């Protein structure tokens, strides 16, 4: 299907395309639904070839069909990001079918557990680390050698505002998201000499299936009723959250290279990216958009 990307708007999402990713090849994990699906569609409409990865073949097929309807080449590579063999197979298949990867989006994620440390299920708590941290590490580690050899590539990790706060009864998820933010800074430093960039971002509060899950979880209802109520309000009043188009726009900007001067930084859809870029020298001088521990000055 022919698509005029310069004027295309994805219906219902309020996002105008500019065709800035022509020739790029992207892998989006957690690409079968929600934010991952939105990012995959935005990349596709911008001209990138897109591989989408998740554990659910039916969801992947739907995403691929939507990307193809936008005029892109897209493939599904089913797999679990926590399994090294799956990740290596998925990356190999994506590159065999689409060409060398130039963009990785670490988006795969899960919710929970919602419980204080003494009551949290140990296996579920650790599974949260496996998906967000181990999965991010495996995917990034697998694509890096090729990107470094070619001297180009961008890694974008989708984190959460949970990285910024120490919310009670949410330690598993918060720890996982903090680790994603911390991982990105040394990664960016390591690859800076190879023409590569890395970013981590907070996508806002988006009305997706991911946000639906806590509404029916007994542990969330018991231990985080205020959080559940905010999500319920989001379902009833979607304008209280962030439109998915904001995430799509930011990820496209990062993938295009427009914000490479912010490599290693933690960004948010609530940031004005143009303003942030205008103040990049102040951000570096003040060590902003990073995780740091504030200390009482010495006497």
């Amino acid at each position: 299907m022919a698509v005029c990307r310069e004027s295309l708007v994805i219906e219902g999402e309020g996002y105008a395309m500019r065709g800035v990713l022509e020739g790029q090849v992207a892998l989006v994990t957690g690409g079968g639904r929600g934010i991952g699906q939105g990012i995959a569609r935005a990349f596709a409409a911008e001209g990138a070839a897109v591989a989408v990865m998740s554990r659910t073949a039916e969801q992947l097929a739907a995403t691929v069909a939507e990307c193809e309807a936008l005029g892109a080449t897209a493939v599904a590579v089913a797999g679990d990001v926590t399994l090294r063999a799956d990740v290596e197979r998925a990356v190999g298949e994506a590159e065999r079918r689409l060409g060398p990867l130039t963009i990785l989006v670490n988006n795969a994620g899960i919710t929970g557990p919602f419980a204080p440390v003494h009551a949290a299920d140990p296996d579920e708590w650790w599974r949260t680390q496996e998906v967000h941290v181990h999965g991010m590490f495996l995917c990034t580690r697998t694509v890096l050698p090729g990107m470094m050899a070619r001297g180009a590539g961008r890694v974008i990790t989708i984190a959460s505002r949970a990285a910024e706060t120490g919310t009670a009864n949410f330690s598993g998820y918060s720890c996982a998201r903090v680790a994603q933010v911390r991982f990105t800074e040394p990664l960016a430093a390591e690859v800076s000499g190879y023409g590569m960039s890395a970013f981590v971002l907070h996508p806002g509060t988006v009305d997706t299936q991911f946000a639906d899950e806590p509404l029916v979880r007994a542990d969330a209802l018991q231990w985080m009723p205020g959080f559940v109520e905010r999500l319920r309000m989001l379902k009833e009043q979607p304008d209280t959250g962030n439109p998915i188009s904001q995430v799509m726009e930011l990820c496209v900007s990062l993938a295009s290279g427009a914000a490479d001067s912010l490599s290693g930084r933690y960004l948010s859809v609530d940031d004005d990216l143009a303003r942030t870029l205008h103040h990049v020298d102040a951000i570096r001088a003040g060590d902003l958009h990073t995780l740091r521990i504030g200390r009482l000055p010495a006497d």
Side-chain angles (χ1 to χ4, degrees):
M1 181 178 79
V3 177
C4 179
R5 293 193 176 91
E6 296 302 325
S7 60
L8 178 65
V9 175
I10 293 184
E11 185 177 356
E13 292 175 346
Y15 177 59
M17 302 301 174
R18 306 175 305 280
V20 298
L21 297 181
E22 295 285 352
Q24 303 282 350
V25 180
L27 172 63
V28 181
T29 70
R33 62 177 188 168
I35 289 174
Q37 185 180 67
I39 294 170
R41 294 178 67 204
F43 284 4
E46 292 285 7
V50 182
V52 286
M53 180 181 181
S54 82
R55 295 177 297 170
T56 309
E58 294 79 7
Q59 292 178 347
L60 289 179
T63 302
V64 167
E66 292 187 8
C67 290
E68 290 177 338
L70 293 168
T73 301
V75 299
V77 286
D80 186 334
V81 297
T82 70
L83 301 176
R84 180 176 177 179
D86 278 18
V87 171
E88 292 178 349
R89 174 186 50 75
V91 170
E93 183 178 348
E95 295 200 320
R96 187 165 53 252
R97 297 174 66 181
L98 299 178
L101 290 170
T102 60
I103 304 164
L104 169 67
V105 179
N106 290 308
N107 172 72
I110 58 175
T111 59
F114 303 92
V117 172
H118 75 271
D121 178 85
D123 293 333
E124 186 180 7
W125 197 98
W126 192 245
R127 177 64 180 171
T128 302
Q129 315 312 309
E130 289 181 328
V131 173
H132 296 104
V133 185
H134 191 213
M136 171 193 63
F137 167 77
L138 286 176
C139 292
T140 303
R141 180 182 184 274
T142 303
V143 304
L144 281 185
M147 289 182 175
M148 293 167 70
R150 294 185 293 272
R154 296 181 178 92
V155 178
I156 302 168
T157 298
I158 308 300
S160 165
R161 185 178 283 131
E164 303 176 35
T165 61
T167 304
N169 307 328
F170 212 26
S171 64
Y173 191 81
S174 295
C175 286
R177 295 310 199 177
V178 167
Q180 291 181 315
V181 177
R182 170 58 73 223
F183 175 83
T184 300
E185 188 176 0
L187 171 66
E190 291 168 8
V191 302
S192 63
Y194 295 89
M196 295 178 58
S197 301
F199 310 91
V200 59
L201 64 94
H202 161 46
T205 305
V206 183
D207 184 12
T208 65
Q209 290 170 281
F210 189 84
D212 292 344
E213 293 171 8
L215 301 177
V216 295
R217 286 188 55 133
D219 58 351
L221 292 166
Q222 177 182 0
W223 294 108
M224 298 189 69
F227 175 69
V228 172
E229 184 56 35
R230 288 194 297 276
L231 292 180
R232 187 171 288 117
M233 183 180 297
L234 175 66
K235 302 300 293 183
E236 296 172 355
Q237 304 176 44
D239 59 350
T240 61
N242 298 88
I244 196 170
S245 60
Q246 286 185 297
V247 191
M248 297 159 65
E249 176 72 38
L250 179 55
C251 286
V252 166
S253 293
L254 298 179
S256 74
D260 281 352
S261 58
L262 292 170
S263 181
R265 304 292 169 171
Y266 170 64
L267 304 171
S268 167
V269 294
D270 296 322
D271 296 329
D272 180 330
L273 185 59
R275 177 178 179 273
T276 304
L277 285 167
H278 181 72
H279 292 285
V280 68
D281 289 339
I283 289 170
R284 290 172 177 165
D287 215 12
L288 307 178
H289 290 267
T290 57
L291 285 177
R292 294 291 181 265
I293 296 174
R295 295 187 180 277
L296 184 68
D299 292 334

